[in-house]
Amino acid sequence: MTNSAEHSWTHAGHGLPQTVEPAPNTTAIATGLQLPAGFAAIAGDAELGPAITTNLARVEKKLREAISNSDPLADATSRHLVEAGGKRIRPLLTLLCAHLGDASRPEVVQAAVVVELTHLATLYHDDVMDSAPFRRGAPTAHEVWGNSVAILTGDLIFARASILVSELGSRALGIQARTFERLCLGQLHETVGPREDEDPVEHYLSVIADKTGSLVAASGQLGAIFAGADESYEDLLVEYGEKVGVAFQLADDVIDVTGVKVKSGKSPGTDLREGVPTLPVLLLRRDAAAGDASAAALLELIDGDLSSDAALAEAVAGLREHPVTNESWKIARQWSAEAVAALDPLPEGVVKSSLTNFAHAVVDRSS
């Protein structure tokens, strides 16, 4: 029998592969960080700015440590999306909300790592379900290694998140479990579609509340919990996160038909071509069913053959000019406004203003 010590991997796969490059130090990571739109007030605050940036760098370093694997294949597949980058909005919200209490507690950074790992795990699964060719400008994992490897990698990353959250205690574990349940239910309900007696728009809003809003909500909540913030803040942060998460996804829907190529590498109309339900198309179907002739004509084009670039461009242009696109923006902005309203009881300061500005920013962007 071969001695396992001769191998470069452990039974559970934990640990760094022997060929891995040394991780950059926290200072080097912090220097290269750029905060997403809506968080400019953080960078401008002499105290909060350095604290958030330093902790974001710690999160980035710990993300790489968490997904590293002594099995070479598992290491490569797990690092794929982390190294592709990302806005890190969820861990940023965890770190920001922690400043409602004692943000220096080490559990705060660990909680931020957990929410980003959970998000990454869902992306591997979503890309397989959607047959998406690109993510963050890079080929998706299933395009490189196949569906089975991509799904198992998502499972592996979620397992790592579960290990980390278990170290934070039973309450955090409960929040994580309930959030993951909602993520799965959202994907399931999106896959099977609305029931015959269910309004398609309401069904869609519930799907994105589960798939996007739930994890954004958990991000802020965990930050407040592990910073020891006032317990009264938790419910309002959950409400804020749910609503701003929905607003973010609704804005993405509209951006897909505005004709602006987004930074992820996703071209305008990709959702139309792939038949992905989005709010503008659902509103168009509603209007067509109600007898709107212009909606019915445009819907016939959208439901037709969009394989050619010319046909897709015509569909995108038609939907962009149709009133349902403006209506979709109004709905997204309403969710954003409700998210801001949920923050009313928070004390005035950079945390509240940054959360407010972020809610505005998610519905005031082109990519």
Side-chain angles (χ1 to χ4, degrees), residues 9-354:
W9 51 273
T10 61
H11 181 69
H14 297 285
L16 295 169
Q18 291 182 347
T19 57
V20 75
E21 294 291 329
N25 62 41
T26 302
T27 303
I29 297 173
T31 302
L33 286 176
Q34 184 175 0
L35 296 179
F39 292 105
I42 295 175
D45 187 276
E47 182 177 344
L48 195 63
I52 291 284
T53 303
T54 298
N55 270 346
L56 264 180
R58 288 175 178 145
V59 168
E60 199 68 25
K61 191 169 186 292
K62 287 181 178 295
L63 273 176
R64 284 163 168 73
E65 293 171 355
I67 54 90
S68 66
N69 200 299
S70 56
D71 177 276
L73 175 61
D75 186 70
T77 60
S78 298
R79 283 189 290 107
H80 186 66
L81 274 185
V82 169
E83 293 182 349
K87 296 182 178 69
R88 306 291 191 247
I89 286 172
R90 291 156 190 81
L92 178 54
L93 288 172
T94 301
L95 300 177
L96 177 61
C97 292
H99 281 271
L100 294 168
D102 180 5
S104 67
R105 295 180 178 181
E107 295 88 353
V108 170
V109 169
Q110 184 151 329
V113 174
V114 166
V115 296
E116 185 65 8
L117 285 175
T118 303
H119 175 56
L120 288 169
T122 66
L123 296 184
Y124 281 84
H125 293 165
D126 285 354
D127 287 342
V128 171
M129 298 287 292
D130 298 339
S131 299
F134 294 99
R135 168 73 68 177
R136 297 173 177 172
T140 49
H142 70 87
E143 289 285 334
V144 179
W145 292 284
N147 286 350
S148 295
V149 170
I151 291 169
L152 289 168
T153 300
D155 294 344
L156 178 60
I157 292 174
F158 183 67
R160 292 291 171 87
S162 299
I163 292 169
L164 291 179
V165 78
S166 70
E167 296 170 355
L168 293 173
S170 60
R171 189 173 181 206
L173 188 58
I175 292 171
Q176 168 80 344
R178 286 188 292 274
T179 300
F180 199 65
E181 178 184 41
R182 289 187 61 190
L183 292 168
C184 293
L185 285 171
Q187 185 65 62
L188 175 64
H189 293 153
E190 180 182 59
T191 301
V192 301
R195 302 184 307 270
E196 288 187 9
D197 61 344
E198 190 175 11
D199 177 75
V201 173
E202 291 302 316
H203 170 267
Y204 179 65
L205 291 173
S206 71
V207 163
I208 60 177
D210 284 340
K211 285 190 62 177
T212 304
S214 64
L215 187 55
V216 176
S219 301
Q221 182 184 17
L222 289 170
I225 288 172
F226 288 106
D230 191 313
E231 289 184 7
S232 66
Y233 297 157
E234 288 182 37
D235 287 344
L236 65 90
L237 289 174
V238 168
E239 182 181 357
Y240 167 85
E242 289 266 351
K243 292 182 181 298
V244 83
V246 171
F248 188 95
Q249 184 57 55
L250 293 178
D252 268 2
D253 285 359
V254 186
I255 288 167
D256 183 65
V257 296
T258 57
V260 179
K261 187 168 183 176
V262 298
K263 293 177 182 177
S264 65
K266 181 179 173 183
S267 298
T270 298
D271 288 340
L272 290 181
R273 175 173 279 167
E274 296 176 354
V276 177
T278 59
L279 183 61
V281 175
L282 290 172
L283 295 178
L284 192 71
R285 294 189 187 283
R286 177 205 63 189
D287 289 356
D292 185 325
S294 67
L298 180 55
L299 192 59
E300 184 176 353
L301 174 63
I302 289 173
D303 287 341
D305 183 2
L306 298 180
S307 57
S308 74
D309 290 343
L312 181 62
E314 184 182 358
V316 168
L319 192 53
R320 183 174 61 240
E321 298 302 322
H322 197 278
V324 293
T325 294
N326 281 333
E327 184 179 355
S328 298
W329 272 126
K330 289 179 182 178
I331 294 172
R333 289 176 178 133
Q334 179 60 37
W335 280 87
S336 171
E338 291 177 8
V340 171
L343 299 173
D344 281 347
L346 284 185
E348 298 299 326
V350 179
V351 174
K352 183 176 182 178
S353 64
S354 294

